[in-house]
Amino acid sequence: MHDKLSRSFTYAWEFYLKRLGIIVTFSVPFILAFLIPTLVPAPTYLALGGVFLRTGSLPDLTMMDMVITALAYAMSVFIIADTIVNINIVVRSKRTLTTIKHEVIHAVGTYATRIFYIYTMALLLMFIFQLLTYDHPIQTWFYPFLSFVLSFLLFFVPPAVVIDNSDTPTAIKRSITMAIKNPHFVLVWAITSLVLVSIVKLVADLLFASPFSSYFVLLINCLLILPFLTILQTQIYMEKYPLAR
């Protein structure tokens, strides 16, 4: 276990530094994806480099506000899916003869769409649960549990789609199998992401006043932290292939 994790971190870090220019370029859409929800008439807020929705305030929105918010979040999720795919393509390009430009064009209608479907289904499931349990005590503890379970089981969906060219049902199946067999991989990745984002948040609070510190964290998170974590996630997934080590 230690060897696999050590190898994954080493590869991810070396690859990240080597291809930093193109990785940062491909990561720019992350910024747009996280800013879109803040531009709609919805109760959103920035925290630890992410954008979150206050579902408790949804009853105060009009039907038009809800439609606009839903469209904005759908657009945001698709951009995130496409950006993750593009970073995965950069990683995969090391093992294939296909050019990155050709892969990126092809990926929009295939890989990104598959990941978008899966992420949207997960978000809708959590959203429906929040509505059904609105103002009910069960929501305070069961919603975080549900969110954790879905995030854990779907953790390896992006590399399953891009690296293995899996269709939607197969990607879900492979992600669940990989996560259940290697829960420590997901845990270490989550701890790493929390540590990195927390360090950036601490530095931002020391350098900038609110709300500028939140936007600084968002910027660093989108251009530097998320790309590295995506590469690490993919390399961890590829550990199941001996030839990829």
Side-chain angles (χ1 to χ4, degrees):
M1 180 185 75
H2 176 75
D3 291 342
K4 289 183 178 181
L5 286 173
S6 177
R7 184 167 50 238
S8 297
F9 272 91
T10 299
Y11 175 88
W13 181 245
E14 291 178 350
F15 186 86
Y16 174 75
L17 292 179
K18 183 178 180 180
R19 307 301 297 273
L20 184 60
I22 189 171
I23 289 171
V24 170
T25 301
F26 278 173
S27 300
V28 170
F30 270 140
I31 301 174
L32 177 62
F34 283 107
L35 285 179
I36 286 177
T38 66
L39 302 178
V40 298
T44 58
Y45 62 97
L46 291 174
L48 284 179
V51 180
F52 301 89
L53 177 66
R54 292 189 179 90
T55 53
S57 301
L58 289 178
D60 298 330
L61 300 179
T62 66
M63 182 59 65
M64 180 59 67
D65 289 339
M66 291 185 179
V67 171
I68 294 175
T69 300
L71 291 175
Y73 270 80
M75 185 182 302
S76 178
V77 171
F78 185 83
I79 293 174
I80 290 173
D82 186 54
T83 305
I84 292 175
V85 166
N86 291 339
I87 295 174
N88 271 274
I89 286 174
V90 176
V91 176
R92 197 180 74 171
S93 66
K94 185 177 181 180
R95 300 195 309 159
T96 65
L97 298 178
T98 308
T99 62
I100 293 178
K101 181 179 179 181
H102 177 270
E103 284 284 337
V104 168
I105 296 175
H106 171 72
V108 175
T110 53
Y111 304 143
T113 303
R114 295 172 195 172
I115 295 175
F116 170 75
Y117 287 155
I118 296 171
Y119 282 178
T120 301
M121 286 188 293
L123 288 173
L124 284 176
L125 181 60
M126 290 189 292
F127 180 69
I128 291 173
F129 173 81
Q130 285 183 305
L131 291 181
L132 293 177
T133 60
Y134 178 72
D135 206 24
H136 193 286
I138 192 177
Q139 186 183 99
T140 58
W141 64 269
F142 194 79
Y143 175 76
F145 174 76
L146 176 63
S147 178
F148 169 78
V149 170
L150 286 176
S151 300
F152 173 79
L153 295 177
L154 300 179
F155 179 76
F156 290 107
V157 159
V161 169
V162 181
I163 303 301
D164 289 339
N165 192 22
S166 305
D167 56 27
T168 300
T170 304
I172 295 175
K173 180 180 178 180
R174 285 177 171 169
S175 177
I176 293 174
T177 301
M178 183 74 173
I180 292 177
K181 287 184 177 180
N182 304 279
H184 51 285
F185 285 167
V186 183
L187 177 61
V188 170
W189 185 95
I191 293 174
T192 301
S193 63
L194 178 61
V195 170
L196 291 176
V197 175
S198 297
I199 291 174
V200 173
K201 173 63 174 174
L202 179 61
V203 173
D205 288 342
L206 291 175
L207 296 177
F208 305 99
S210 181
F212 299 106
S213 61
S214 296
Y215 286 102
F216 176 80
V217 174
L218 178 65
L219 182 65
I220 298 301
N221 190 32
C222 289
L223 296 182
L224 299 178
I225 305 299
L226 277 178
F228 172 73
L229 292 173
T230 301
I231 294 172
L232 178 61
Q233 176 191 51
T234 303
Q235 178 55 26
I236 290 174
Y237 179 83
M238 291 170 62
E239 279 295 324
K240 69 177 187 173
Y241 297 116
L243 294 178
R245 298 171 185 173

